[in-house]
Amino acid sequence: MRRLSLGTLLIGLNVGLVVLAVVGVVAAGSSLLRRLADEQAIARVRLAGSTARLAVELEAGHLQTAGHLLAERPDLERAVRERDAGAAAASLAELRLATGLSACAVLLDGKIFASSAGGVDWKTLVPAAGSPRTWGLGPAGPGGGLILAAFARLRSEPSALVATARAIDTSFVHAIAAQAGMPVEIVPAREALEAESERAMLRGRAIDDGVAVAGRIDASALYLSVEPLRVPDGPVAAVVETTLPTADTDGSVSGLVHVLLAMAVVVGGLAALFSVVVGRRLVGPLAELTRASTRIGGGDLTTPIPRPPGAETGDLAVAMEEMRSRLLDLTLELRQRRSAAEAVLTGIVEGVFAVDRERRIRYLNPQTAALLGIDPAEALGRFCGDVLNPQGPDGVRPCDERCPIVHARFRGGARATEHLLLPGGGHRSVVITSAAPAPPEPRDGPEPAGAARQFQVIRDETEVEATRRLRDTVLANITHEFRTPLSAQLASIELLRDRLPDLTAEEAGDLIAALERGTLRLTQLIDNLLEGVRIDAGQGAIRRQPVALDDVLDQAIALTAPLIELRGQRLDVDLPHPLPSLRGDAPRLVQVFVNLLANANKFAPAGSTIRIGGARRADEVALWVEDEGPGLPEGDGSVLFERFMRSPGEEPEESGMGLGLFIVKSIVERHGGRVEARAADDPAGGDRGTRMCVILPADGAASGGGTLGGLSSGGVSSGGAPSSGAA
């Protein structure tokens, strides 16, 4: 298909716009004129119809006046009173001849008593008893047509009606049309609805709604007004129609349209002539510049652009020549940079991908595609979260809150470890390092899609992460689980070494028994450590056996008594007795309270009091350990139960790996309970001290009261101090 030249386009555009504007004005003007003409014509026929209807009603008023005059005649009253029908008929005939009425009659009790003319169906015209109707309109008789009748009552005979009537014939209609100034037709209501046409539809609307209706009927080339003629206290008996031909109105509008079209042709010709003159002056220089831009677009940046005559086209040629020179330099530089970048991106081990401002992938190297197991062509243009599919806690993707790409835009760079779900169902742990996006270059118009790119480096650390996580978990558990019993054993050994000559046989036996229990406890800890690994792997469970909490607390106090005695601390036990029974893992529960007591021993100052308390409830039992240490850190106390959670600045230097309370929470929750950390009730009114509370479900409510006695393992009694006499 041959493309049009610029000159042809200018001529066609100018002529088309002018012609389109003129044709639009002509079309709009003709439509407006036709609508105004229709409205004016419809208003005329409405006025004529209203005049015709008022003329009919006025004639009904004249008939009423004639009826009242007739009812007041003495001879007619006497004839009716005497029931002389002949005299009454003579009086009626005299009045009809004098007034030019079509018919007169006297009716008694709804029956004709005397009449001056026959052929009138008076029964259809007479109003019902008690009706206020003073005139009526109905069929004239068997011959057809309409008759207009009025009624008046005799004063001497209230049951007698004097009826006067005028036939609606051709002369009557011509007289009405003369008053209206248009052709008039009065049609009975029953005949108005018989035909099926647009005219019949207007009649039906006027009869049904009881209001005047007017409109244009194109099939008949007429403007039609239909006025309903309703008798007083009665239905619509007939319609009054006035008509006006549409020929005169349409002729005037058509003439004006022809004039406007002729003007459009003249204006279009002048526009074409002007376009030819202007187009020839512009086409030549622009055609040369067009050929030059085509060469540049095709890659020819070496051919210079000549400067044509003319100020504007000359300036355009100079600008294009400068652009050609700059593009030539930039193209050479970009080719060199692209070659170097492709060599680097395809040669490194890590994956590299780039996204735009909406985080849609615009580039990825083969290493990234191989790492993710995807086709590079399918990933381009997609949201990076849908391609990488990172998995966050509880199955929620971190794309909205922890996306390193977004963070790098504000921090200048970001790094995050992500766990990716591959298309085949596999998982990978990767480290994504995101660089800040390059600042956008200044431009006048909007930035094109994908112009600003942000690069990310992705490194696969699946095996490294798994190995590191396993190592850290094992070392942390071993360090914490062995520290407490070994510390207790070390304390017992130091006491035994330092005070062996002064110890009685019973005291030495207690220390040796403590060493034996510590050794057994280390064996249990090794077993628990292995079981904990199995539980973390989803292969372990809590044993459900009957547990006596009294024995659990006795064992925990016995295991930690050397540590408490070593720091000169006091242990105060105040528990309900007996404690409710429950089902669970007794060694695990011993570990819970050993950790809590060891934690309190570690944080409470030397010589302070550690309290063990409890309370019974309907279906659970609450046990707590209180100390007089520095208290809870600022914020939510639940963070103390997280893995590796420590309190720098308050915690002692040798404080473990931060697993004690995490293990407490894990064991208690597997027993169906919960743990809480809150401020302790300080009797001195201070704000220091911590209460670690363990809430466990009980098998049933226990009865009785009092405190738990007999907890003397390790030399500690209820509410007392260690038996060694340490304060």
Side-chain angles (χ1 to χ4, degrees):
M1 181 177 178
R2 184 179 178 183
R3 301 179 63 181
L4 299 177
S5 64
L6 179 60
T8 305
L9 287 176
L10 287 175
I11 296 173
L13 181 62
N14 291 336
V15 174
L17 289 176
V18 173
V19 172
L20 181 62
V22 175
V23 169
V25 172
V26 171
S30 61
S31 175
L32 180 60
L33 289 173
R34 186 175 297 279
R35 182 165 60 85
L36 293 176
D38 289 343
E39 292 176 355
Q40 184 179 13
I42 290 173
R44 289 177 58 192
V45 296
R46 280 184 182 274
L47 179 60
S50 178
T51 302
R53 178 180 56 79
L54 292 176
V56 173
E57 294 176 353
L58 182 61
E59 182 62 24
H62 293 162
L63 290 176
Q64 291 177 13
T65 302
H68 284 295
L69 293 176
L70 181 59
E72 293 175 356
R73 294 184 57 146
D75 55 345
L76 182 61
E77 289 183 357
R78 184 173 54 256
V80 172
R81 187 170 52 251
E82 295 175 356
R83 298 298 190 268
D84 187 353
S91 179
L92 293 175
E94 180 182 355
L95 177 63
R96 185 174 69 85
L97 293 175
T99 58
L101 298 175
S102 300
C104 297
V106 175
L107 298 96
L108 287 175
D109 299 325
K111 298 180 180 180
I112 300 176
F113 174 70
S115 176
S116 65
V120 178
D121 188 3
W122 295 104
K123 294 182 180 180
T124 61
L125 300 174
V126 175
S131 173
R133 187 169 68 183
T134 57
W135 62 275
L137 183 66
L146 291 171
I147 190 165
L148 182 66
F151 308 96
R153 294 188 181 275
L154 290 175
R155 287 178 297 178
S156 59
E157 291 289 337
S159 61
L161 285 177
V162 176
T164 55
R166 181 180 295 279
I168 300 179
D169 51 12
T170 304
S171 60
F172 181 83
V173 172
H174 286 171
I176 297 296
Q179 297 182 37
M182 290 185 186
V184 175
E185 184 178 359
I186 301 176
V187 183
R190 63 177 181 276
E191 297 179 6
L193 300 176
E194 291 178 355
E196 295 184 359
S197 62
E198 190 175 355
R199 193 168 191 169
M201 291 175 61
L202 292 178
R203 293 174 176 176
R205 286 172 54 191
I207 294 173
D208 294 339
D209 300 339
V211 296
V213 178
R216 176 182 174 126
I217 303 177
D218 292 328
S220 303
L222 293 174
Y223 294 101
L224 175 65
S225 173
V226 182
E227 291 274 348
L229 194 58
R230 184 190 299 275
V231 299
D233 192 28
V236 176
V239 293
V240 179
E241 295 182 350
T242 54
T243 57
L244 178 66
T246 62
D248 296 340
T249 302
D250 293 343
S252 300
V253 174
S254 299
L256 183 57
V257 170
H258 292 159
V259 173
L260 293 176
L261 288 176
M263 292 176 58
V265 173
V266 173
V267 173
L270 294 175
L273 180 60
F274 176 77
S275 300
V276 170
V277 175
V278 174
R280 288 180 178 179
R281 295 182 60 87
L282 294 176
V283 168
L286 290 178
E288 181 62 30
L289 293 178
T290 301
R291 288 190 292 269
S293 62
T294 303
R295 291 195 303 269
I296 294 175
D300 183 8
L301 299 177
T302 58
T303 304
I305 300 175
R307 178 171 182 172
E312 292 81 4
T313 54
D315 294 341
L316 178 59
V318 172
M320 291 180 64
E321 175 61 22
E322 294 178 356
M323 177 188 67
R324 181 196 64 81
S325 179
R326 288 197 299 268
L327 285 176
L328 181 59
D329 297 337
L330 290 175
T331 302
L332 295 176
E333 183 179 357
L334 288 176
R335 286 176 181 175
Q336 295 174 356
R337 291 186 178 183
R338 181 176 180 180
S339 299
E342 289 180 351
V344 172
L345 293 177
T346 56
I348 61 176
V349 178
E350 289 80 4
V352 177
F353 67 95
V355 297
D356 57 15
R357 291 190 179 277
E358 286 74 28
R359 290 184 284 174
R360 294 190 297 263
I361 293 180
R362 296 300 178 184
Y363 168 79
L364 72 165
N365 64 351
Q367 290 84 341
T368 304
L371 178 67
L372 301 178
I374 58 175
D375 184 5
E378 296 179 357
L380 295 178
R382 294 175 57 191
F383 179 63
C384 64
D386 298 334
V387 177
L388 299 179
N389 200 9
Q391 303 298 305
D394 302 326
V396 179
R397 295 196 310 186
C399 296
D400 296 332
E401 298 180 358
R402 297 188 297 105
C403 180
I405 300 176
V406 177
H407 291 176
R409 295 176 180 177
F410 301 97
R411 302 174 183 173
R415 183 177 181 180
T417 300
E418 303 287 358
H419 302 282
L420 309 182
L421 178 61
L422 302 183
H427 293 79
R428 284 193 182 276
S429 296
V430 299
V431 175
I432 298 178
T433 303
S434 181
E441 297 182 0
R443 59 177 68 247
D444 296 334
E447 185 176 289
R453 295 192 179 185
Q454 186 175 1
F455 284 86
Q456 285 68 232
V457 177
I458 179 170
R459 185 173 68 252
D460 185 10
E461 290 196 357
T462 303
E463 297 181 359
V464 175
E465 182 67 20
T467 303
R468 185 187 300 116
R469 186 165 54 250
L470 179 60
R471 181 200 64 193
D472 293 344
T473 301
V474 173
L475 290 178
N477 281 296
I478 290 176
T479 300
H480 182 80
E481 298 291 348
F482 279 75
R483 183 183 297 275
T484 300
L486 286 176
S487 298
Q489 284 188 339
L490 181 60
S492 299
I493 292 173
E494 289 177 352
L495 287 174
L496 187 62
R497 182 193 62 193
D498 297 338
R499 300 172 54 188
L500 183 59
D502 302 329
L503 293 176
T504 64
E506 182 180 358
E507 292 174 342
D510 291 340
L511 289 176
I512 294 173
L515 288 173
E516 182 181 6
R517 287 193 300 270
T519 303
L520 294 176
R521 181 59 182 157
L522 285 174
T523 304
Q524 293 177 351
L525 287 177
I526 293 174
D527 296 337
N528 290 339
L529 180 60
L530 296 176
E531 184 179 357
V533 173
R534 289 194 296 270
I535 291 174
D536 290 339
Q539 301 176 355
I542 292 295
R543 293 187 293 271
R544 300 291 180 180
Q545 297 176 353
V547 175
L549 289 177
D550 296 353
D551 296 339
V552 169
L553 290 171
D554 274 337
Q555 295 181 40
I557 292 174
L559 288 171
T560 56
L563 294 176
I564 295 175
E565 182 179 1
L566 183 64
R567 300 195 65 196
Q569 294 170 334
R570 180 183 178 87
L571 188 62
D572 186 3
V573 182
D574 184 11
L575 293 169
H577 181 73
L579 289 172
S581 61
L582 55 85
R583 295 184 62 82
D585 194 333
R588 289 287 183 172
L589 293 176
V590 170
Q591 183 180 359
V592 167
F593 290 101
V594 166
N595 286 348
L596 293 180
L597 287 171
N599 198 66
N601 165 258
K602 179 171 53 179
F603 282 94
S608 62
T609 300
I610 299 175
R611 299 176 182 84
I612 300 178
R616 294 193 305 270
R617 299 173 185 171
D619 55 354
E620 60 186 15
V621 57
L623 303 172
W624 58 79
V625 175
E626 287 185 356
D627 60 56
E628 298 178 0
L632 294 173
E634 295 184 1
D636 188 2
S638 61
V639 300
L640 295 175
F641 297 96
E642 296 181 1
R643 186 190 293 267
F644 305 120
M645 181 61 193
R646 301 177 61 185
S647 179
E650 296 287 351
E651 199 167 344
E653 182 178 357
E654 297 180 1
S655 57
M657 295 295 293
L659 284 174
L661 295 182
F662 170 76
I663 294 174
V664 169
K665 179 181 178 183
S666 176
I667 294 175
V668 172
E669 288 182 347
R670 289 202 294 270
H671 279 80
R674 63 187 185 277
V675 294
E676 297 176 355
R678 65 184 68 168
D681 298 332
D682 190 352
D687 57 355
R688 298 174 66 83
T690 303
R691 172 182 287 187
M692 296 293 180
C693 187
V694 175
I695 303 172
L696 295 169
D699 285 349
S703 61
T707 60
L708 180 65
L711 296 177
S712 58
S713 300
V716 183
S717 61
S718 173
S723 58
S724 63

